[in-house]
Amino acid sequence: MLNDKTVAVVIPAYNEENQILQVLDGIPTFVDRVIVVDDCSTDNTAAVVLSYIADDHSEIPPLPVAKRMIEQSKFNRADIVLDDIILKESKYFTPAYILNEQPERDRIIFIKHQKNEGVGAAIASGYKWCMDHQIECTAVMAGDGQMDPAELESICMPVVRDNIDYVKGNRLIHRSAWLVIPRTRYIGNSILSILTKIASGYWHVSDTQSGYTAISLQALQSIKIHEIYKKYGMPNDLLVKLNIAFCTIKEVGIKPVYDVGEQSKMKVLKVVPRISWLLLKLFFVRMWVKYLIRDFHPLFLLYHFSFVLALISIPYIVKIIKIMFFTSQNVPTLTTLAAAFLFISAFQSLLFAMWMDIQDNERLYKS
């Protein structure tokens, strides 16, 4: 426990037989449970973890039972409905089973997916176990050894002490980031971080792709975990979901760790376009759900007004380009004025919308 609150670490793993032991060995003693989620590995990851569990004789404190019993009254129907919804959502998670012989007695819980779904699906399975067992702070550490266990406490403390909903490690603010992080990854991360700021509304978040995180039980209960994006876009998708749920967020500086034996399974040139398209869709989801359906805000109109004006200006701009470069005629004054008016109006509306967006979400970022 940490600050008298239960702490668990979710470790998504896929073909990490060479790295997983050093990760498990480094988990601090204040962690109550470690949930390793094997995303249907094809190597000996399962055998290595099960052997480690068999040799582990850590004394563990009891946790609340998975099934929650709520005493019915006229004031808590909403809690009962939420509990029922969470139970019904179990069928939407990746099919998996627990390989522990006595999971209630083990500190390390080993969950194995029946099919490979991606790192996001593995984290979602771990989140579900922690939510079912009422873990108050759930951290995520990769199974490839790229996260320093000594920094776990600083990641978890804002959740257990300050009641922050979600904490992310930030590698980019470390002075060595440009030198340690592979150049392609650094640039790709920076591009996605900019796009994620716009899509998520968390404008002050810098290292959006960092997987070293901690989340509160309340935040887990406020979102649909089973709908988290299953692949590498999971951190970006989760940020949007948390913002829609008005969850607070904080970044903590961490070291970038590379060349520790990990083998990257992410192809940056394929992932960046895919996540960029995902973020475009998520932006409109946030606009419609948060700023129209749940709580109307003028920035919804300003954003969409800017997009409409920009679309209307395109034919005028195309016409001007055709006349300037493919004919000897002069561009009609009315066409020029129309294009300029539409473009300037669209740009101004976009800037005002972004400014309102930043101001409205300022309350959710905690320094």
Side-chain angles (χ1 to χ4, degrees):
M1 301 184 78
L2 194 61
N3 206 40
D4 295 324
K5 292 186 178 181
T6 51
V7 177
V9 173
V10 173
I11 302 177
Y14 178 69
N15 290 346
E16 300 292 358
E17 62 176 355
N18 297 322
Q19 299 293 102
I20 194 67
L21 284 182
Q22 71 175 13
V23 177
L24 294 174
D25 282 335
I27 299 295
T29 56
F30 66 78
V31 175
D32 299 281
R33 295 293 188 278
V34 180
I35 299 88
V36 180
V37 184
D38 182 358
D39 193 32
C40 202
S41 296
T42 57
D43 65 357
N44 292 321
T45 298
V48 171
V49 175
L50 289 174
S51 176
Y52 189 93
I53 293 174
D55 295 334
D56 182 50
H57 303 290
S58 303
E59 294 186 6
I60 59 172
L63 295 176
V65 293
K67 187 176 181 180
R68 299 175 295 278
M69 300 298 294
I70 300 177
E71 184 178 350
Q72 188 170 359
S73 73
K74 63 180 180 179
F75 300 111
N76 67 348
R77 182 171 180 270
D79 293 328
I80 295 172
V81 170
L82 176 60
D83 196 65
D84 186 54
I85 290 173
I86 291 174
L87 290 175
K88 289 180 179 179
E89 288 176 344
S90 298
K91 63 183 178 181
Y92 298 116
F93 287 85
T94 302
Y97 44 89
I98 297 176
L99 294 185
N100 300 65
E101 294 182 3
Q102 296 179 307
E104 68 282 354
R105 296 184 180 182
D106 293 333
R107 180 175 181 245
I108 302 171
I109 307 299
F110 187 60
I111 300 174
K112 186 172 179 64
H113 280 179
Q114 295 183 24
K115 59 179 179 178
N116 179 261
E117 289 273 52
V119 63
I123 293 174
S125 294
Y127 276 166
K128 180 183 184 302
W129 189 97
C130 293
M131 185 174 65
D132 288 343
H133 290 80
Q134 302 290 282
I135 300 295
E136 293 163 295
C137 175
T138 301
V140 174
M141 293 180 65
D144 59 5
Q146 280 191 278
M147 297 169 185
D148 185 359
E151 296 177 320
L152 181 61
E153 184 173 350
S154 66
I155 294 286
C156 294
M157 281 304 292
V159 174
V160 301
R161 181 189 59 202
D162 304 323
N163 295 319
I164 303 296
D165 292 311
Y166 190 58
V167 180
K168 287 183 70 67
N170 187 341
R171 301 161 295 180
L172 301 184
I173 61 176
H174 197 278
R175 288 185 62 186
S176 69
W178 180 250
L179 300 175
V180 175
I181 300 176
R183 200 58 48 90
T184 304
R185 284 177 172 271
Y186 189 100
I187 295 173
N189 191 340
S190 299
I191 293 172
L192 292 177
S193 292
I194 293 172
L195 297 178
T196 304
K197 288 172 183 281
I198 301 171
S200 71
Y202 289 123
W203 291 85
H204 294 290
V205 174
S206 301
D207 191 0
T208 59
Q209 303 313 114
S210 171
Y212 208 169
T213 63
I215 190 169
S216 69
L217 177 60
Q218 181 179 353
L220 286 179
Q221 293 172 336
S222 68
I223 63 176
K224 295 181 179 180
I225 302 174
H226 66 278
E227 292 184 353
I228 292 175
Y229 192 72
K230 297 182 184 299
K231 304 296 183 180
Y232 285 107
M234 177 268 176
N236 316 82
D237 182 41
L238 182 57
L239 283 173
V240 176
K241 286 178 168 53
L242 291 172
N243 186 275
I244 292 174
F246 296 93
C247 292
T248 54
I249 188 172
K250 179 183 178 71
E251 279 193 305
V252 174
I254 60 173
K255 300 186 295 291
V257 179
Y258 287 87
D259 298 325
V260 291
E262 79 281 357
Q263 292 184 348
S264 176
K265 305 172 185 67
M266 181 179 69
K267 306 299 181 183
V268 176
L269 295 180
K270 291 183 178 180
V271 169
V272 171
R274 187 182 306 159
I275 298 180
S276 299
W277 174 245
L278 171 68
L279 289 171
L280 176 63
K281 295 185 291 184
L282 290 174
F283 169 80
F284 286 102
V285 169
R286 182 172 70 92
M287 286 298 106
W288 282 79
V289 175
K290 184 176 181 180
Y291 291 118
L292 180 64
I293 298 174
R294 292 191 177 181
D295 184 18
F296 177 76
H297 196 289
L299 69 84
F300 174 85
L301 295 178
L302 284 172
Y303 265 128
H304 286 77
F305 187 58
S306 69
F307 299 148
V308 170
L309 290 179
L311 288 174
I312 296 175
S313 70
I314 291 177
Y316 291 95
I317 295 174
V318 171
K319 183 178 180 179
I320 291 173
I321 293 174
K322 285 183 177 179
I323 294 174
M324 290 180 62
F325 292 97
F326 299 100
T327 70
S328 57
Q329 301 175 2
N330 294 323
V331 179
T333 303
L334 187 61
T335 301
T336 303
L337 291 175
F341 173 78
L342 290 169
F343 179 79
I344 293 173
S345 298
F347 188 65
Q348 286 181 329
S349 296
L350 180 63
L351 289 181
F352 276 121
M354 293 175 70
W355 177 79
M356 285 186 176
D357 202 2
I358 294 171
Q359 293 299 311
D360 185 65
N361 287 284
E362 191 80 27
R363 54 187 165 153
L364 299 180
Y365 186 85
K366 306 298 180 179
S367 57

